[in-house]
Amino acid sequence: MKTFYIETFGCQMNAHDSEKVVGTLLTQGYTQVETPAEAELVLYNTCSIRDKAEQKVFHRLDQFKHEAGKGSNGKRKTYGVLGCVAQQEGEKIFERAPHVSLVAGSASYGRLPELLVQLEKGDRRVTGLSFDRDDAFETEFTRRTNPHRAYVTIIEGCDKSCAYCVVPFTRGPERSRASESVMNELEQLTGAGYTEVQLLGQNVNSYRDPSPAGWDFATMLERAGQVPGMRRVRFTTSHPRDFGKEIINAIDRTETLCNHVHLPVQSGSSDVLRRMDRQYTRDEYMRRIEWMKKARRDIAITTDIIVGFPGETERDFDDTLKLIDGVEYDAMFIFKYSKRPNTAALAYEDHIPEEEKTRRLMELQERQRGIQLRRNAGYVGLTEHVLVEGYNQATGQWIGRTSQHKTLNFIDAALPAPSQERTLVGEYLDVLVTRASPNSLAGERSAHV
Ligand code: 5AD
Ligand code: SF4
């Protein structure tokens, strides 16, 4: 019996890639195990978006550097690095961690069966690092971890050149997937009982169907929402420059499209945006926010922000504070700028000291906390429709998710806890919101709701 262990770092794209990798390994006769100690093949699917993420994998690998060749159980032991660090560092990984035998980036997962054969034959250094062959979209079998929500890739790679970002180097140029292939997968998923999908890509807005149908992203979104049995469609991630009004129109028209848009702004200063090469100004970004605010549906807006980009002045930072006051985001991910290999910003001057980045991060977090609390308080007294995602033993609450992607923890009078016969997980229910905190809502279902 051939066994493998996989640990995944990074974004949803990586999480979904791992589902494809697991599916491929199972098809190749491997069995998945829960710890690296039990496994003959140990895989890390890695992220290199910030330095910290990259260091994590080398840390993991270091733990096993004395186990090269043979594990403690005497069996042959093989280590592999997949994903963004693999693509970025390539064969240098073999030098830094000599016990690694496989290095492959995401564009090469279609070649995994072939790479595995090479490993099984005993090849010590096997690589998959080119972008020329791309069949990563289509795997024979994808082992999904969530039984209700499925990730579906519609576009790979990125053609932008944001000055801070490694992704164009780690995931290569943009490649859209044929609409027919996406629709087939969506139909298979609803057929198998999935009710929610999340369409994935580094920049879904620049989706362009390569087949004669020629769908743009808004069309893809709307058609996905019309698949029989589909209850919720989400998408990530958007680039403001390519985010057109037709996306809002599609959301307004199609109830199954979730009323949530993640639109990373990165900075509220047009000057910083220009140096980041984001290809939009603060005003252009705000125009998109206005479209959403004026929409028929109550669209939740979330964002990413980088603090301490080289040359970011107090005034620039103040522009970011003002922007978040104006937008009133529903959630925000804030990152300290991190130097990445190959990127343009490496050569920029005026790098901001670490303590100052930390200060800006904390100030922003504090400000945003108040905004989120205020926004969430607006839902108290309303009834929200949730998909039940789980049950929290510790608090005795069911965990629900609203269309706006807010967590709504609730008590159900009729079923206070899952039993052997019945669970609410996977169901869509109406829940009365009774309390709000910055990061979640709380509510209840009385027996007669
Ligand atoms: N440093 C800090 N944050 C970064 N991000 C991307 N590259 C960097 C970097 N070099 C952030 C951006 C992006 C999110 C996924 O990660 O905000 O939207
Ligand atoms: Fe990390 Fe970006 Fe790669 Fe996702 S695409 S795993 S965020 S580096």
Side-chain angles (χ1 to χ4, degrees):
M1 194 177 66
K2 304 182 283 188
T3 53
F4 76 97
Y5 166 85
I6 185 164
E7 182 176 356
T8 308
F9 303 90
C11 62
Q12 287 112 322
M13 263 65 76
N14 251 22
H16 184 41
D17 283 344
S18 283
E19 295 180 332
K20 295 181 193 171
V21 169
V22 171
T24 305
L25 285 162
L26 295 176
T27 328
Q28 298 300 309
Y30 282 76
T31 307
Q32 189 169 10
V33 293
E34 295 303 313
T35 62
E38 295 165 80
E40 286 157 71
L41 175 62
V42 177
L43 297 174
Y44 294 104
N45 190 5
T46 61
C47 172
S48 65
I49 195 88
R50 284 168 291 273
D51 189 52
K52 247 196 205 148
E54 178 175 340
Q55 292 318 319
K56 257 191 218 158
V57 60
F58 288 108
H59 205 78
R60 285 286 195 286
L61 288 168
D62 277 350
Q63 292 170 351
F64 301 110
K65 63 179 170 216
H66 304 300
E67 289 215 2
K70 265 196 183 144
S72 48
N73 55 6
K75 279 197 180 169
R76 224 175 82 84
K77 194 125 180 151
T78 307
Y79 293 88
V81 178
L82 306 177
C84 294
V85 178
Q87 193 68 52
Q88 178 189 294
E89 296 297 301
E91 302 194 354
K92 277 189 271 172
I93 293 179
F94 295 133
E95 282 147 44
R96 211 159 145 190
H99 53 305
V100 169
S101 324
L102 169 68
V103 173
S106 61
S108 302
Y109 297 160
R111 283 184 56 213
L112 262 184
E114 178 193 321
L115 301 177
L116 290 169
V117 170
Q118 290 177 28
L119 283 176
E120 286 163 19
K121 277 201 319 222
D123 285 6
R124 269 292 286 127
R125 291 183 170 184
V126 176
T127 54
L129 295 167
S130 77
F131 288 118
D132 4 314
R133 201 182 119 178
D134 189 29
D135 36 19
F137 291 135
E138 319 293 340
T139 30
E140 207 180 316
F141 175 55
T142 301
R143 177 54 163 269
R144 291 191 157 85
T145 45
N146 183 310
H148 308 289
R149 184 203 313 137
Y151 295 129
V152 174
T153 311
I154 62 165
I155 179 168
E156 282 275 357
C158 181
D159 279 350
K160 295 275 185 291
S161 48
C162 301
Y164 50 79
C165 190
V166 284
V167 172
F169 307 101
T170 65
R171 288 189 168 262
E174 223 167 70
R175 290 95 68 201
S176 288
R177 180 178 175 190
S179 56
E180 194 186 343
S181 158
V182 175
M183 293 307 280
N184 284 342
E185 188 170 4
L186 295 178
E187 280 157 19
Q188 269 171 22
L189 287 166
T190 51
Y194 287 90
T195 56
E196 177 175 323
V197 295
Q198 183 154 14
L199 305 179
L200 291 183
Q202 286 302 333
N203 178 8
V204 286
N205 311 137
S206 62
Y207 174 80
R208 179 52 75 170
D209 184 2
S211 72
W215 293 0
D216 61 6
F217 176 61
T219 309
M220 165 61 77
L221 201 54
E222 207 159 359
R223 296 294 178 91
Q226 290 160 357
V227 170
M230 193 66 80
R231 311 253 329 235
R232 282 184 172 180
V233 178
R234 301 186 183 279
F235 58 95
T236 200
T237 198
S238 291
H239 190 293
R241 158 82 190 246
D242 304 320
F243 188 90
K245 192 159 188 204
E246 59 291 352
I247 299 172
I248 308 294
N249 296 341
I251 294 175
D252 264 350
R253 274 198 298 266
T254 322
E255 213 64 33
T256 46
L257 303 183
C258 288
N259 47 349
H260 169 216
V261 172
H262 183 67
L263 197 64
V265 65
Q266 313 300 0
S267 168
S269 150
S270 288
D271 192 37
V272 172
L273 289 171
R274 188 178 43 75
R275 281 184 293 112
M276 285 179 165
D277 200 7
R278 288 291 285 174
Q279 304 177 13
Y280 56 85
T281 62
R282 178 196 173 103
D283 288 349
E284 284 162 344
Y285 181 87
M286 286 308 292
R287 208 166 307 145
R288 283 146 183 82
I289 298 293
E290 287 314 311
W291 295 340
M292 289 192 259
K293 300 254 181 204
K294 287 195 185 123
R296 183 180 66 80
R297 296 178 69 197
D298 178 18
I299 299 178
I301 311 169
T302 58
T303 202
D304 294 342
I305 288 181
I306 296 177
V307 293
F309 185 74
E312 184 188 64
T313 61
E314 272 303 321
R315 211 166 141 178
D316 292 324
F317 179 62
D318 200 51
D319 285 344
T320 299
L321 289 171
K322 288 203 186 93
L323 181 123
I324 74 157
D325 283 344
V327 177
E328 299 205 291
Y329 290 104
D330 291 89
M332 177 181 292
F333 300 94
I334 313 169
F335 307 102
K336 289 192 262 187
Y337 168 74
S338 164
K339 289 185 188 171
R340 303 315 293 132
N342 307 316
T343 59
L346 263 189
Y348 288 12
E349 287 174 4
D350 293 332
H351 281 269
I352 309 292
E354 198 56 29
E355 317 78 71
E356 181 55 22
K357 287 186 206 166
T358 307
R359 190 194 66 75
R360 292 179 191 181
L361 179 121
M362 285 168 63
E363 187 172 343
L364 208 48
Q365 261 172 352
E366 189 53 38
R367 188 86 144 233
Q368 179 59 19
R369 217 182 125 78
I371 294 172
Q372 282 178 211
L373 182 58
R374 247 193 342 272
R375 279 203 54 82
N376 283 347
Y379 291 91
V380 174
L382 302 183
T383 297
E384 287 286 306
H385 201 55
V386 300
L387 165 60
V388 186
E389 294 188 338
Y391 180 77
N392 185 336
Q393 292 288 350
T395 62
Q397 287 172 311
W398 296 94
I399 306 162
R401 174 123 7 225
T402 70
S403 172
Q404 293 191 323
H405 207 248
K406 291 180 191 282
T407 304
L408 170 46
N409 300 306
F410 65 98
I411 292 166
D412 184 276
L415 191 67
S419 68
Q420 240 157 24
E421 297 81 50
R422 190 154 148 69
T423 176
L424 300 179
V425 174
E427 290 188 26
Y428 287 84
L429 301 171
D430 283 329
V431 177
L432 175 69
V433 180
T434 52
R435 273 178 300 126
S437 57
N439 291 312
S440 65
L441 303 170
E444 55 194 45
R445 285 183 87 231
S446 51
H448 62 269
V449 174

